[in-house]
Amino acid sequence: MSDVTVQGAEGGGRRARGEGRGAAARRASRTGGGPGPSLPYIQRRIREYEVLDEEGLQLIERNADVVLEEIGIEFRDDAEALDLWKAAGADVRGQRVHFPKGLCRELLKSAPKEFTWHARNPERSVQIGGKSTVFAPVYGPPFVRDLDGNRRYATIEDFRNFVKLAYMAPSMHSSGGTVCEPVDVAVNKRHLDMVYSHIRYSDKPFMGSVTAPERAEDTVAMAKILFGDDFVENNAVTLNLINANSPMVFDETMLGAAKVYARHNQACVVSPFILSGAMSPVTVAGTLTQILAEVLAGAAFTQLIRKGAPVLFGTFAASISMQSGAPTFGTPEPSLVSYGAAQLARRLGLPFRTGGSLCGSKVPDAQAAHESANTLNMTLLAGTNFVLHAAGWLEGGLVSSYEKFMIDQDQLGMMQKMAEGVDLSENAQALDAIREVGPGSHYLGCAHTQANFQSAFYRSQLADNNSFEQWEIEGEKRVEQRANALARSWLEQYEAPYLDPAIDDALKEFIAKRKDSMPDAFT
């Protein structure tokens, strides 16, 4: 069932009286009644928060070199990868590669420190690296929590809806990748519909398929229909998640996708998937050592495929409950891991990915809020360049939630404002206002306040800061209900960005031919 087809907004509580409708109308007027204009990617004007001093960083780097040289990293079931490493000077023993000290770092000297991730609308293109931060939605959940409150398997209609919401969210800079897993489409064909949805329903940068090398090839082929062959071969138009199978393994699926994208000059995000205590040591220092070793090996591999191919230092950092084994989020230790990994990435000269709005809660409740806030604030302060899972993540990544997406994207707007830092312009110094008001008065009516009040503070689309009486009159709605209504409103207002009909037809023809070339497979 499509959530777009559900008519009307969430009711919730008593019907508002006239005063409530008037107040709601005034708020809608102030906020434009819908999503505001799309904001450019963040260019941070605040310092990064750092948790390791020079001695600590050097210690982690030495330990990572020990792991690479003595223990090694497995490159499983990929003879080409092993041959490339042997030719590069590594010691290959079976499927395990041992790296002479400095080999990976030397190879990574060719990787760009910054690059442009191009969108089909040039105004939406973003910079990856340096002082930039780019937000992208949740990635990978097989389930959704829909606008009727149901937890169910995701469909291609859900996928399209999340792409549309990401397109409309002002502080979302990319439409992402696998915003949910559309299980109603055959496994071997759904990537075609997913990539097409990003192209058709958004004009922001998008991610490619990594679940099989041939699906990565299809992504590149569709990108070339959209951008042109030469442009794709010389510019990054997709960003692609290459997870290490931690601890210390890269499997044939990820290696196959990495080879395809690197050969075509497309960006790879080499990301150890870490649940400390299960996939890495329980300590922050031990986890950082393993992360650095895995990233060095995986990122350097992309340079063996194509020198100069863009690559990111990524990590997904979480811990586990030592009582149940369940993943936990928003806790101190993964934040320390991410802060430290960001420092290591900057020393290595690679753009960095971590964090998001992560939580373990099953619904968008207080637990979801504080765990997500803990993670998101760390993500910004760490100096993260690319932020996956920035909105919509629920239940440890098993669920894409419409309501959580809307709450999170509102928070992203706050992060965008926070990243601007302190304005020290003459207007911001406000000396005229201080002179005008003087001791013992107030600033509500002074000229400076009147000139600046509309842009002085971030205005949440969802927070209710009115009196109890006003909240009661307007239906006693919780933030989840307000988010539900806002999601419905956005989807009803959605208008697709222009796409050249000839390109659209070529994409549809390509998809039809590829689907006709193989039987459906659901495993």
Side-chain angles (χ1 to χ4, degrees), residues 52 56-58 60-61 105 288-289 291-292 313 337-350 352:
L52 291 169
L57 290 165
Q58 290 185 16
I60 300 299
E61 290 169 340
R105 291 179 182 276
L288 282 171
T289 295
I291 287 172
L292 180 56
F313 183 132
V337 168
S338 291
Y339 281 128
Q343 290 181 257
L344 293 166
R346 285 191 289 273
R347 287 165 68 88
L348 197 56
L350 294 180
F352 181 64

PDB file of all heavy atoms in Angstrom, residues 52 56-58 60-61 105 288-289 291-292 313 337-350 352:
ATOM      1  N   LEU A  52      42.323  12.467  20.830  1.00  0.00           N
ATOM      2  CA  LEU A  52      43.652  11.867  20.898  1.00  0.00           C
ATOM      3  C   LEU A  52      44.730  12.926  20.685  1.00  0.00           C
ATOM      4  O   LEU A  52      44.600  13.767  19.779  1.00  0.00           O
ATOM      5  CB  LEU A  52      43.800  10.771  19.837  1.00  0.00           C
ATOM      6  CG  LEU A  52      42.975   9.497  20.043  1.00  0.00           C
ATOM      7  CD1 LEU A  52      43.024   8.633  18.792  1.00  0.00           C
ATOM      8  CD2 LEU A  52      43.467   8.713  21.246  1.00  0.00           C
ATOM      9  N   GLY A  56      49.033   9.594  21.275  1.00  0.00           N
ATOM     10  CA  GLY A  56      47.996   8.586  21.097  1.00  0.00           C
ATOM     11  C   GLY A  56      47.787   8.211  19.647  1.00  0.00           C
ATOM     12  O   GLY A  56      47.615   7.022  19.310  1.00  0.00           O
ATOM     13  N   LEU A  57      47.796   9.191  18.769  1.00  0.00           N
ATOM     14  CA  LEU A  57      47.620   8.921  17.341  1.00  0.00           C
ATOM     15  C   LEU A  57      48.758   8.069  16.794  1.00  0.00           C
ATOM     16  O   LEU A  57      48.536   7.119  16.035  1.00  0.00           O
ATOM     17  CB  LEU A  57      47.515  10.240  16.578  1.00  0.00           C
ATOM     18  CG  LEU A  57      46.230  11.041  16.806  1.00  0.00           C
ATOM     19  CD1 LEU A  57      46.390  12.472  16.300  1.00  0.00           C
ATOM     20  CD2 LEU A  57      45.039  10.375  16.122  1.00  0.00           C
ATOM     21  N   GLN A  58      49.962   8.399  17.180  1.00  0.00           N
ATOM     22  CA  GLN A  58      51.110   7.619  16.718  1.00  0.00           C
ATOM     23  C   GLN A  58      51.056   6.183  17.233  1.00  0.00           C
ATOM     24  O   GLN A  58      51.423   5.245  16.517  1.00  0.00           O
ATOM     25  CB  GLN A  58      52.413   8.297  17.144  1.00  0.00           C
ATOM     26  CG  GLN A  58      52.702   9.589  16.404  1.00  0.00           C
ATOM     27  CD  GLN A  58      54.061  10.170  16.755  1.00  0.00           C
ATOM     28  OE1 GLN A  58      54.906   9.487  17.318  1.00  0.00           O
ATOM     29  NE2 GLN A  58      54.266  11.446  16.423  1.00  0.00           N
ATOM     30  N   ILE A  60      48.290   4.400  17.891  1.00  0.00           N
ATOM     31  CA  ILE A  60      47.298   3.680  17.090  1.00  0.00           C
ATOM     32  C   ILE A  60      47.871   3.347  15.707  1.00  0.00           C
ATOM     33  O   ILE A  60      47.698   2.232  15.194  1.00  0.00           O
ATOM     34  CB  ILE A  60      46.006   4.511  16.942  1.00  0.00           C
ATOM     35  CG1 ILE A  60      45.373   4.808  18.308  1.00  0.00           C
ATOM     36  CG2 ILE A  60      45.012   3.795  16.030  1.00  0.00           C
ATOM     37  CD1 ILE A  60      44.970   3.601  19.096  1.00  0.00           C
ATOM     38  N   GLU A  61      48.561   4.281  15.107  1.00  0.00           N
ATOM     39  CA  GLU A  61      49.134   4.051  13.777  1.00  0.00           C
ATOM     40  C   GLU A  61      50.193   2.948  13.805  1.00  0.00           C
ATOM     41  O   GLU A  61      50.243   2.101  12.902  1.00  0.00           O
ATOM     42  CB  GLU A  61      49.710   5.360  13.234  1.00  0.00           C
ATOM     43  CG  GLU A  61      48.625   6.364  12.871  1.00  0.00           C
ATOM     44  CD  GLU A  61      49.155   7.755  12.584  1.00  0.00           C
ATOM     45  OE1 GLU A  61      50.290   8.068  13.016  1.00  0.00           O
ATOM     46  OE2 GLU A  61      48.431   8.549  11.941  1.00  0.00           O
ATOM     47  N   ARG A 105      50.057   3.257   2.868  1.00  0.00           N
ATOM     48  CA  ARG A 105      50.131   4.723   2.914  1.00  0.00           C
ATOM     49  C   ARG A 105      50.736   5.287   1.634  1.00  0.00           C
ATOM     50  O   ARG A 105      50.306   6.332   1.132  1.00  0.00           O
ATOM     51  CB  ARG A 105      50.933   5.175   4.131  1.00  0.00           C
ATOM     52  CG  ARG A 105      50.225   4.903   5.450  1.00  0.00           C
ATOM     53  CD  ARG A 105      51.058   5.345   6.647  1.00  0.00           C
ATOM     54  NE  ARG A 105      50.369   5.030   7.886  1.00  0.00           N
ATOM     55  CZ  ARG A 105      49.436   5.794   8.446  1.00  0.00           C
ATOM     56  NH1 ARG A 105      49.096   6.925   7.866  1.00  0.00           N
ATOM     57  NH2 ARG A 105      48.860   5.433   9.570  1.00  0.00           N
ATOM     58  N   LEU A 288      40.045   1.185  17.284  1.00  0.00           N
ATOM     59  CA  LEU A 288      40.647   2.139  16.362  1.00  0.00           C
ATOM     60  C   LEU A 288      41.809   1.513  15.595  1.00  0.00           C
ATOM     61  O   LEU A 288      41.993   1.770  14.399  1.00  0.00           O
ATOM     62  CB  LEU A 288      41.122   3.379  17.124  1.00  0.00           C
ATOM     63  CG  LEU A 288      40.038   4.386  17.504  1.00  0.00           C
ATOM     64  CD1 LEU A 288      40.597   5.448  18.440  1.00  0.00           C
ATOM     65  CD2 LEU A 288      39.436   5.040  16.261  1.00  0.00           C
ATOM     66  N   THR A 289      42.594   0.692  16.258  1.00  0.00           N
ATOM     67  CA  THR A 289      43.699   0.009  15.589  1.00  0.00           C
ATOM     68  C   THR A 289      43.191  -0.863  14.454  1.00  0.00           C
ATOM     69  O   THR A 289      43.709  -0.825  13.327  1.00  0.00           O
ATOM     70  CB  THR A 289      44.476  -0.850  16.607  1.00  0.00           C
ATOM     71  OG1 THR A 289      45.081   0.003  17.567  1.00  0.00           O
ATOM     72  CG2 THR A 289      45.535  -1.689  15.914  1.00  0.00           C
ATOM     73  N   ILE A 291      40.215  -0.705  12.915  1.00  0.00           N
ATOM     74  CA  ILE A 291      39.587   0.117  11.880  1.00  0.00           C
ATOM     75  C   ILE A 291      40.630   0.692  10.940  1.00  0.00           C
ATOM     76  O   ILE A 291      40.495   0.626   9.714  1.00  0.00           O
ATOM     77  CB  ILE A 291      38.755   1.253  12.530  1.00  0.00           C
ATOM     78  CG1 ILE A 291      37.479   0.691  13.148  1.00  0.00           C
ATOM     79  CG2 ILE A 291      38.412   2.332  11.484  1.00  0.00           C
ATOM     80  CD1 ILE A 291      36.715   1.706  13.975  1.00  0.00           C
ATOM     81  N   LEU A 292      41.677   1.263  11.505  1.00  0.00           N
ATOM     82  CA  LEU A 292      42.703   1.875  10.671  1.00  0.00           C
ATOM     83  C   LEU A 292      43.358   0.845   9.763  1.00  0.00           C
ATOM     84  O   LEU A 292      43.579   1.108   8.568  1.00  0.00           O
ATOM     85  CB  LEU A 292      43.748   2.562  11.545  1.00  0.00           C
ATOM     86  CG  LEU A 292      44.901   3.248  10.801  1.00  0.00           C
ATOM     87  CD1 LEU A 292      44.381   4.282   9.797  1.00  0.00           C
ATOM     88  CD2 LEU A 292      45.878   3.893  11.781  1.00  0.00           C
ATOM     89  N   PHE A 313      37.634   7.287   3.961  1.00  0.00           N
ATOM     90  CA  PHE A 313      37.884   6.546   5.197  1.00  0.00           C
ATOM     91  C   PHE A 313      36.544   6.509   5.935  1.00  0.00           C
ATOM     92  O   PHE A 313      36.071   7.520   6.427  1.00  0.00           O
ATOM     93  CB  PHE A 313      38.942   7.282   6.013  1.00  0.00           C
ATOM     94  CG  PHE A 313      39.381   6.634   7.304  1.00  0.00           C
ATOM     95  CD1 PHE A 313      40.742   6.505   7.582  1.00  0.00           C
ATOM     96  CD2 PHE A 313      38.480   6.191   8.260  1.00  0.00           C
ATOM     97  CE1 PHE A 313      41.183   5.944   8.780  1.00  0.00           C
ATOM     98  CE2 PHE A 313      38.896   5.618   9.448  1.00  0.00           C
ATOM     99  CZ  PHE A 313      40.263   5.489   9.714  1.00  0.00           C
ATOM    100  N   VAL A 337      35.310   6.316  19.496  1.00  0.00           N
ATOM    101  CA  VAL A 337      35.861   5.647  18.313  1.00  0.00           C
ATOM    102  C   VAL A 337      35.757   6.559  17.096  1.00  0.00           C
ATOM    103  O   VAL A 337      36.726   6.737  16.340  1.00  0.00           O
ATOM    104  CB  VAL A 337      35.142   4.305  18.051  1.00  0.00           C
ATOM    105  CG1 VAL A 337      35.498   3.761  16.675  1.00  0.00           C
ATOM    106  CG2 VAL A 337      35.498   3.287  19.125  1.00  0.00           C
ATOM    107  N   SER A 338      34.595   7.148  16.887  1.00  0.00           N
ATOM    108  CA  SER A 338      34.399   7.998  15.706  1.00  0.00           C
ATOM    109  C   SER A 338      35.249   9.262  15.764  1.00  0.00           C
ATOM    110  O   SER A 338      35.811   9.680  14.755  1.00  0.00           O
ATOM    111  CB  SER A 338      32.917   8.359  15.561  1.00  0.00           C
ATOM    112  OG  SER A 338      32.162   7.221  15.202  1.00  0.00           O
ATOM    113  N   TYR A 339      35.332   9.880  16.949  1.00  0.00           N
ATOM    114  CA  TYR A 339      36.204  11.048  17.084  1.00  0.00           C
ATOM    115  C   TYR A 339      37.648  10.687  16.720  1.00  0.00           C
ATOM    116  O   TYR A 339      38.326  11.412  15.980  1.00  0.00           O
ATOM    117  CB  TYR A 339      36.170  11.578  18.521  1.00  0.00           C
ATOM    118  CG  TYR A 339      34.971  12.419  18.872  1.00  0.00           C
ATOM    119  CD1 TYR A 339      34.199  12.130  19.990  1.00  0.00           C
ATOM    120  CD2 TYR A 339      34.631  13.538  18.113  1.00  0.00           C
ATOM    121  CE1 TYR A 339      33.102  12.913  20.350  1.00  0.00           C
ATOM    122  CE2 TYR A 339      33.533  14.324  18.461  1.00  0.00           C
ATOM    123  CZ  TYR A 339      32.780  14.012  19.572  1.00  0.00           C
ATOM    124  OH  TYR A 339      31.707  14.790  19.919  1.00  0.00           O
ATOM    125  N   GLY A 340      38.128   9.570  17.257  1.00  0.00           N
ATOM    126  CA  GLY A 340      39.491   9.148  16.976  1.00  0.00           C
ATOM    127  C   GLY A 340      39.703   8.783  15.525  1.00  0.00           C
ATOM    128  O   GLY A 340      40.733   9.135  14.919  1.00  0.00           O
ATOM    129  N   ALA A 341      38.736   8.079  14.924  1.00  0.00           N
ATOM    130  CA  ALA A 341      38.854   7.698  13.521  1.00  0.00           C
ATOM    131  C   ALA A 341      38.888   8.924  12.620  1.00  0.00           C
ATOM    132  O   ALA A 341      39.604   8.950  11.614  1.00  0.00           O
ATOM    133  CB  ALA A 341      37.697   6.779  13.134  1.00  0.00           C
ATOM    134  N   ALA A 342      38.120   9.959  12.971  1.00  0.00           N
ATOM    135  CA  ALA A 342      38.135  11.191  12.174  1.00  0.00           C
ATOM    136  C   ALA A 342      39.527  11.826  12.186  1.00  0.00           C
ATOM    137  O   ALA A 342      40.008  12.304  11.149  1.00  0.00           O
ATOM    138  CB  ALA A 342      37.098  12.177  12.717  1.00  0.00           C
ATOM    139  N   GLN A 343      40.180  11.812  13.345  1.00  0.00           N
ATOM    140  CA  GLN A 343      41.540  12.344  13.416  1.00  0.00           C
ATOM    141  C   GLN A 343      42.494  11.535  12.539  1.00  0.00           C
ATOM    142  O   GLN A 343      43.339  12.085  11.829  1.00  0.00           O
ATOM    143  CB  GLN A 343      42.029  12.325  14.869  1.00  0.00           C
ATOM    144  CG  GLN A 343      41.345  13.323  15.774  1.00  0.00           C
ATOM    145  CD  GLN A 343      41.897  13.262  17.189  1.00  0.00           C
ATOM    146  OE1 GLN A 343      41.279  12.704  18.078  1.00  0.00           O
ATOM    147  NE2 GLN A 343      43.084  13.819  17.387  1.00  0.00           N
ATOM    148  N   LEU A 344      42.365  10.213  12.598  1.00  0.00           N
ATOM    149  CA  LEU A 344      43.234   9.346  11.792  1.00  0.00           C
ATOM    150  C   LEU A 344      43.005   9.567  10.301  1.00  0.00           C
ATOM    151  O   LEU A 344      43.954   9.555   9.513  1.00  0.00           O
ATOM    152  CB  LEU A 344      42.979   7.881  12.163  1.00  0.00           C
ATOM    153  CG  LEU A 344      43.400   7.476  13.579  1.00  0.00           C
ATOM    154  CD1 LEU A 344      42.788   6.134  13.955  1.00  0.00           C
ATOM    155  CD2 LEU A 344      44.920   7.432  13.707  1.00  0.00           C
ATOM    156  N   ALA A 345      41.752   9.800   9.918  1.00  0.00           N
ATOM    157  CA  ALA A 345      41.441  10.055   8.505  1.00  0.00           C
ATOM    158  C   ALA A 345      42.082  11.359   8.042  1.00  0.00           C
ATOM    159  O   ALA A 345      42.638  11.429   6.932  1.00  0.00           O
ATOM    160  CB  ALA A 345      39.928  10.095   8.299  1.00  0.00           C
ATOM    161  N   ARG A 346      41.996  12.400   8.867  1.00  0.00           N
ATOM    162  CA  ARG A 346      42.602  13.675   8.477  1.00  0.00           C
ATOM    163  C   ARG A 346      44.114  13.537   8.327  1.00  0.00           C
ATOM    164  O   ARG A 346      44.717  14.115   7.416  1.00  0.00           O
ATOM    165  CB  ARG A 346      42.246  14.755   9.512  1.00  0.00           C
ATOM    166  CG  ARG A 346      40.805  15.243   9.396  1.00  0.00           C
ATOM    167  CD  ARG A 346      40.556  16.484  10.222  1.00  0.00           C
ATOM    168  NE  ARG A 346      40.541  16.231  11.650  1.00  0.00           N
ATOM    169  CZ  ARG A 346      39.455  15.846  12.335  1.00  0.00           C
ATOM    170  NH1 ARG A 346      38.315  15.647  11.706  1.00  0.00           N
ATOM    171  NH2 ARG A 346      39.523  15.660  13.648  1.00  0.00           N
ATOM    172  N   ARG A 347      44.751  12.756   9.204  1.00  0.00           N
ATOM    173  CA  ARG A 347      46.196  12.543   9.090  1.00  0.00           C
ATOM    174  C   ARG A 347      46.539  11.754   7.821  1.00  0.00           C
ATOM    175  O   ARG A 347      47.600  11.955   7.228  1.00  0.00           O
ATOM    176  CB  ARG A 347      46.703  11.801  10.325  1.00  0.00           C
ATOM    177  CG  ARG A 347      46.749  12.675  11.559  1.00  0.00           C
ATOM    178  CD  ARG A 347      46.907  11.844  12.810  1.00  0.00           C
ATOM    179  NE  ARG A 347      48.205  11.177  12.946  1.00  0.00           N
ATOM    180  CZ  ARG A 347      49.272  11.718  13.518  1.00  0.00           C
ATOM    181  NH1 ARG A 347      49.215  12.969  13.980  1.00  0.00           N
ATOM    182  NH2 ARG A 347      50.396  11.046  13.653  1.00  0.00           N
ATOM    183  N   LEU A 348      45.636  10.887   7.439  1.00  0.00           N
ATOM    184  CA  LEU A 348      45.859  10.076   6.238  1.00  0.00           C
ATOM    185  C   LEU A 348      45.571  10.851   4.958  1.00  0.00           C
ATOM    186  O   LEU A 348      45.998  10.465   3.872  1.00  0.00           O
ATOM    187  CB  LEU A 348      44.978   8.821   6.314  1.00  0.00           C
ATOM    188  CG  LEU A 348      45.297   7.643   5.417  1.00  0.00           C
ATOM    189  CD1 LEU A 348      46.728   7.156   5.596  1.00  0.00           C
ATOM    190  CD2 LEU A 348      44.316   6.501   5.704  1.00  0.00           C
ATOM    191  N   GLY A 349      44.805  11.952   5.103  1.00  0.00           N
ATOM    192  CA  GLY A 349      44.468  12.773   3.939  1.00  0.00           C
ATOM    193  C   GLY A 349      43.291  12.252   3.147  1.00  0.00           C
ATOM    194  O   GLY A 349      43.190  12.493   1.936  1.00  0.00           O
ATOM    195  N   LEU A 350      42.376  11.546   3.830  1.00  0.00           N
ATOM    196  CA  LEU A 350      41.186  11.023   3.163  1.00  0.00           C
ATOM    197  C   LEU A 350      39.927  11.649   3.749  1.00  0.00           C
ATOM    198  O   LEU A 350      39.859  11.903   4.954  1.00  0.00           O
ATOM    199  CB  LEU A 350      41.096   9.498   3.332  1.00  0.00           C
ATOM    200  CG  LEU A 350      42.167   8.643   2.676  1.00  0.00           C
ATOM    201  CD1 LEU A 350      41.907   7.164   2.964  1.00  0.00           C
ATOM    202  CD2 LEU A 350      42.227   8.891   1.166  1.00  0.00           C
ATOM    203  N   PHE A 352      36.193  11.640   5.340  1.00  0.00           N
ATOM    204  CA  PHE A 352      35.771  10.763   6.435  1.00  0.00           C
ATOM    205  C   PHE A 352      34.271  10.596   6.479  1.00  0.00           C
ATOM    206  O   PHE A 352      33.519  11.535   6.272  1.00  0.00           O
ATOM    207  CB  PHE A 352      36.265  11.332   7.769  1.00  0.00           C
ATOM    208  CG  PHE A 352      35.917  10.494   8.964  1.00  0.00           C
ATOM    209  CD1 PHE A 352      36.433   9.213   9.102  1.00  0.00           C
ATOM    210  CD2 PHE A 352      35.085  10.983   9.961  1.00  0.00           C
ATOM    211  CE1 PHE A 352      36.118   8.428  10.203  1.00  0.00           C
ATOM    212  CE2 PHE A 352      34.765  10.215  11.069  1.00  0.00           C
ATOM    213  CZ  PHE A 352      35.288   8.936  11.192  1.00  0.00           C
TER     214      PHE A 352
END
